[in-house]
Amino acid sequence: MWFQILLVLALVGTAVYLLRSTPNAKHLAIRRLVVFLGLAAGVVVVVAPGVLTGMARAVGIGRGADLLFYVAIVAGLVYVVNEYKRSVQLARANTQLARELALAEARLQDRIAELERKEPS
Amino acid sequence: MSGMPPAPPSGIAGAHGAERDGGSWVVIPLYNEASVIAGVIAELQEVFPHIVCVDDGSTDGSAEVAEAAGARVVRHPYNLGQGAALQTGISYAREQPGVEFIVTFDADGQHRVVDAVAMIALARAEDAAIVFGSRFLDDRTRPGLLKKAVLKTAVRVTNLTTGLTLTDAHNGLRVIRVDAARAVSLKQDRMAHATEIVLQLGRTGLPYREFPVEVLYTDYSRAKGQSLLNSINILVDLVIN
């Protein structure tokens, strides 16, 4: 059952991806490529269901439906991880924006106070 | 009020309230502490003329209370978290003219002003760039058993990840010289910033000390303290970049 090894590797890979890399243009390209390949594979499997069963047999799983199920779980996890990373990035950008706003306002107030002290109107 | 008057040559504020310390800026992250913040500011003002409160979107009028008490208030447009507020305060304080030390101080009244003064004196005397307050260097502070376990675990994680050897990790009372403060860029908006700031200060390689401080566990601060479950959040925040 070397598919079990494959599956465990995929899950571990997802965990490493969660901890390590930060999204960039290269990752985006790879993600899009994977989505495209997934769609193409979907079409192939729908048109010729026998292919899926053949692939499942090849990796040591009896039924094509089982293979599909496993792949779907891994794909779902990768999606969740991606979305999580994206939301963390957005939260950081949001914090920076809010901080710059707060600091800009504070600098402005300080400058005004300074000018008012110099020439009391 | 604002940081504009040229800071006087910083005096060594050894005696409580005797000489005001114009070279130090106190940074207080402020979130819904309207009932206690005025008292905290009044006490600090006896020694520190420069106090900046970063209002983190309080909904109870904390910002107005702090301003009326005489602190400089920098306002976040909405709640971002204590780490975010601390970073905003440090960013503001380190660009003020004449700033020498930045003191981080909690808004809930659990720190003592005399400790802050003594920590600055220690930094000056021993030329230390960072002085961390620690409640575990002596036995004045008595946290509950569970809280102690949580804090001790936090210390171990902090020491493991930062390479420093501290006895207390999540203590809000710190003295940071301005050269060290320039290296601080907190990304953790929530409570994990307490470990992150140690990490970033440690990376500067500047000399640091620990100083025994007393943490006053009032019923108020107890009620707002970190729960055991929240320490799981801290751990996850730290591990996932």
Side-chain angles (χ1 to χ4, degrees):
Chain A
M1 273 302 259
W2 59 275
F3 184 71
Q4 279 175 323
I5 300 168
L6 266 181
L7 202 55
V8 169
L9 282 180
L11 292 174
V12 170
T14 307
V16 171
Y17 179 55
L18 173 66
L19 297 177
R20 295 276 149 170
S21 68
T22 43
N24 56 33
K26 210 170 111 194
H27 281 111
L28 182 66
I30 291 172
R31 271 210 311 279
R32 286 173 172 171
L33 210 60
V34 168
V35 168
F36 180 74
L37 288 176
L39 288 173
V43 171
V44 171
V45 166
V46 166
V47 172
V51 175
L52 188 62
T53 311
M55 275 162 62
R57 292 241 167 87
V59 293
I61 304 168
R63 297 187 307 170
D66 287 344
L67 178 66
L68 198 63
F69 182 62
Y70 293 143
V71 170
I73 286 179
V74 172
L77 276 176
V78 170
Y79 174 78
V80 167
V81 166
N82 265 325
E83 282 306 298
Y84 178 79
K85 287 169 100 91
R86 219 170 64 92
S87 84
V88 168
Q89 269 201 328
L90 282 177
R92 280 184 188 165
N94 172 46
T95 297
Q96 262 175 2
L97 184 63
R99 174 171 304 124
E100 284 311 315
L101 192 68
L103 289 175
E105 190 194 9
R107 282 186 203 113
L108 196 65
Q109 285 170 349
D110 287 345
R111 184 83 184 121
I112 290 169
E114 189 188 15
L115 291 174
E116 277 175 351
R117 257 199 310 278
K118 271 182 191 155
E119 330 172 21
S121 49
Chain B
M1 274 261 275
S2 72
M4 283 305 122
S10 48
I12 292 155
H16 186 81
E19 198 177 343
R20 303 235 296 172
D21 183 352
S24 300
W25 277 78
V26 181
V27 170
I28 307 177
L30 178 61
Y31 180 60
N32 288 351
E33 305 275 8
S35 56
V36 285
I37 186 63
V40 172
I41 291 171
E43 227 179 291
L44 279 165
Q45 275 173 332
E46 288 182 26
V47 187
F48 300 104
H50 302 309
I51 300 167
V52 56
C53 289
V54 181
D55 176 51
D56 195 23
S58 297
T59 51
D60 66 347
S62 289
E64 288 72 24
V65 174
E67 208 150 52
R72 179 77 180 90
V73 175
V74 177
R75 284 182 175 82
H76 279 175
Y78 38 76
N79 183 255
L80 295 166
Q82 195 185 17
L86 194 64
Q87 179 60 52
T88 302
I90 290 172
S91 296
Y92 179 79
R94 71 186 171 198
E95 65 183 37
Q96 300 307 312
V99 61
E100 203 183 341
F101 288 102
I102 292 171
V103 182
T104 67
F105 207 85
D106 283 359
D108 59 4
Q110 63 167 285
H111 298 315
R112 305 189 320 154
V113 178
V114 282
D115 284 336
V117 171
M119 283 163 73
I120 293 172
L122 175 72
R124 288 213 169 96
E126 301 194 4
D127 199 29
I130 311 134
V131 181
F132 297 103
S134 172
R135 73 202 102 174
F136 296 121
L137 282 178
D138 57 29
D139 51 11
R140 279 178 299 171
T141 307
R142 294 172 197 287
L145 215 62
L146 191 62
K147 190 172 183 91
K148 198 167 181 173
V150 172
L151 289 167
K152 279 292 174 192
T153 310
V155 170
R156 277 193 207 104
V157 172
T158 303
N159 286 345
L160 267 175
T161 50
T162 61
L164 305 187
T165 46
L166 300 177
T167 56
D168 189 2
H170 285 196
N171 194 312
L173 183 52
R174 310 171 192 89
V175 167
I176 306 167
R177 205 168 62 197
V178 69
D179 54 338
R182 289 192 213 291
V184 175
S185 170
L186 299 176
K187 306 254 180 326
Q188 300 285 353
D189 285 351
R190 282 164 295 170
M191 293 309 294
H193 71 269
T195 298
E196 196 185 21
I197 194 171
V198 176
L199 182 70
Q200 292 178 351
L201 289 172
R203 277 200 196 123
T204 64
L206 291 163
Y208 68 95
R209 299 279 184 281
E210 270 197 304
F211 186 84
V213 302
E214 186 176 0
V215 171
L216 308 167
Y217 287 112
T218 57
D219 286 342
Y220 184 78
S221 71
R222 240 186 271 272
K224 296 198 76 160
Q226 291 176 46
S227 72
L228 190 62
L229 277 175
N230 200 25
S231 57
I232 294 171
N233 285 335
I234 293 172
L235 212 61
V236 171
D237 279 347
L238 281 173
V239 171
I240 298 174
N241 56 71

